[in-house]
Amino acid sequence: MRAVTVTPGVADSLELVDDHPEPVAEEGGVLVQALAVGVCGTDHEIVAGEYGEAPPGRSRLVIGHESLGRVMEDPTGSLQPGDLVAGIVRYPDPVPCPNCAVGEWDMCRNGQYTEHGIKALDGFARDRWRVPPRFAVRLDPALAQVGMLLEPTSVVAKAWDHIERIGHRAEWQPRSVLVTGAGPIGLLAALLASQRGLSVHVLDRATSGPKPELVHALGATYHSVQVNDLDFEPDVVLECTGAPKVVLDVMCKAAPTGIVCLTGVSSGGRSIDFDAGALNRALVLENNVVFGSVNANRRHWDLAAEALARADQYWLSSLISRRVPASRFRDAYVPGPDDIKVVLDFAA
Ligand SMILES: [Zn+2]
């Protein structure tokens, strides 16, 4: 069968192999026919040889962690043939740490977790894959074209879950949300904000392309200005750029008792001049919280599946800029100027 593979650590080693072995029973009882995988920044880093780890004893890794497929068989009977599913990316570490021991592998404390298509587990960019039943998430049948958005949605469902848990440390009546960055994570974070009935603002440097219209379609306000030029103080910020200046600016911009959730991963290595004392003073005197958030556990995947089922399907499909047949796989991994989400299509 077909599989898109790389040699981790080696740039441009991307290859489509036609004779990849079928998934073995040890990978899990649920056998899935792949429909599509989404491509994200992590995939670009893996293709560039900057990230990723092959399964033990192997040199090549099947990539792809944003999955969508149809169930072929589930011996437990909880999923039926034809059901639309996505596979959970991260698996608990083998020790396990206290968090992995209770299914909160998104909060793993020892870093020994594994991840499909990223870290020591083959990914989903292959014709067929297997996962254990509790790592298969059923999707509403209406999501057949867009269900590969479940993985990035799980990331923002976790971010919102933790924002709300932190918010409930005291009386919690947020009104305004600022999302910085209108890529897939930012737009899905804005979707979940709009589903909560909040006043949603999205800031991005793009002034043309599809982003402003996608934001307007959520009933949200699009800003293409500096954070400091915004004329309101947000109760909640979801920072999705990882750009150092934006990160620092939103920490200073949040309203009293505001919560800033950082989801963007910065590359590091550049320093900027910044008044750390003023930031500390603002955080303390306003009871603000700044926290980081990554990955998602089963509960968040289920919340994300509910959020996608409730969303406007036309809006979700508008996030998908290009659908590239698996036979032209290389095109999927070359970013285009107006790309939001690129999808590698295994059904074509
Ligand atoms: Zn762990």
Side-chain angles (χ1 to χ4, degrees):
M1 65 175 195
R2 298 174 302 172
V4 180
T5 68
V6 294
T7 303
V10 178
D12 303 321
S13 59
L14 192 68
E15 200 181 329
L16 179 73
V17 296
D18 286 320
D19 58 351
H20 192 80
E22 292 287 331
V24 295
E26 288 70 37
E27 292 178 64
V30 181
L31 177 63
V32 178
Q33 179 78 49
L35 291 176
V37 294
V39 174
C40 80
T42 302
D43 294 303
H44 290 139
E45 287 181 31
I46 294 172
V47 170
E50 296 162 4
Y51 202 60
E53 179 186 329
R58 301 230 323 260
S59 61
R60 293 192 77 82
L61 169 75
V62 178
I63 61 170
H65 58 276
E66 301 184 359
S67 61
L68 178 67
R70 283 201 190 279
V71 172
M72 298 174 72
E73 59 181 49
D74 175 12
T76 68
S78 60
L79 292 162
Q80 300 302 315
D83 278 355
L84 210 55
V85 288
I88 289 178
V89 175
R90 186 180 288 191
Y91 286 29
D93 78 78
V95 175
C97 77
N99 290 2
C100 285
V102 297
E104 295 195 341
W105 50 74
D106 56 315
M107 301 293 282
C108 182
R109 291 171 63 172
N110 65 24
Q112 295 180 45
Y113 57 82
T114 54
E115 290 178 332
H116 278 294
I118 302 171
K119 188 171 182 280
L121 277 180
D122 274 334
F124 301 112
R126 44 181 165 152
D127 280 320
R128 285 169 290 284
W129 40 269
R130 284 182 174 274
V131 288
R134 74 178 177 123
F135 292 91
V137 182
R138 205 178 86 84
L139 283 153
D140 188 290
L143 297 166
Q145 298 300 313
V146 296
M148 77 297 288
L149 296 172
L150 186 62
E151 193 278 341
T153 307
S154 76
V155 169
V156 296
K158 182 224 175 136
W160 272 109
D161 174 45
H162 283 211
I163 288 165
E164 284 161 351
R165 284 163 184 252
I166 294 166
H168 283 108
R169 69 197 160 138
E171 178 64 18
W172 174 240
Q173 293 185 21
R175 285 191 303 248
S176 61
V177 180
L178 172 64
V179 176
T180 48
I185 293 286
L187 289 166
L188 290 166
L191 168 69
L192 268 62
S194 72
Q195 289 181 341
R196 285 160 168 77
L198 299 165
S199 170
V200 185
H201 299 261
V202 179
L203 181 145
D204 191 283
R205 59 188 172 186
T207 52
S208 59
K211 291 175 177 178
E213 185 50 41
L214 283 164
V215 169
H216 294 147
L218 288 175
T221 308
Y222 189 83
H223 303 268
S224 191
V225 298
Q226 299 290 312
V227 171
N228 290 329
D229 294 333
L230 294 170
D231 62 357
F232 69 101
E233 294 186 334
D235 298 312
V236 174
V237 178
L238 282 119
E239 205 299 302
C240 308
T241 71
K245 182 166 189 329
V246 178
V247 171
L248 292 169
D249 284 350
V250 295
M251 288 182 194
C252 300
K253 190 69 178 175
T257 78
I259 299 172
V260 177
C261 174
L262 306 179
T263 71
V265 181
S266 312
S267 47
R270 271 178 302 171
S271 56
I272 58 178
D273 194 30
F274 184 72
D275 186 346
L279 173 62
N280 176 70
R281 182 183 171 84
L283 293 178
V284 171
L285 295 181
E286 297 192 340
N287 286 293
N288 286 358
V289 175
V290 178
F291 77 103
S293 181
V294 72
N295 201 257
N297 65 43
R298 171 82 210 205
R299 193 163 47 80
H300 305 127
W301 282 78
D302 290 334
L303 289 169
E306 287 169 30
L308 287 187
R310 271 209 315 279
D312 181 276
Q313 299 304 307
Y314 176 76
W315 187 85
L316 292 175
S317 66
S318 301
L319 297 185
I320 298 171
S321 318
R322 293 187 285 137
R323 295 175 190 268
V324 180
S327 57
R328 295 200 287 116
F329 66 101
R330 280 186 208 283
D331 294 349
Y333 294 91
V334 179
D338 279 336
D339 282 348
I340 305 283
K341 174 61 68 184
V342 176
V343 165
L344 190 59
D345 192 340
F346 273 81

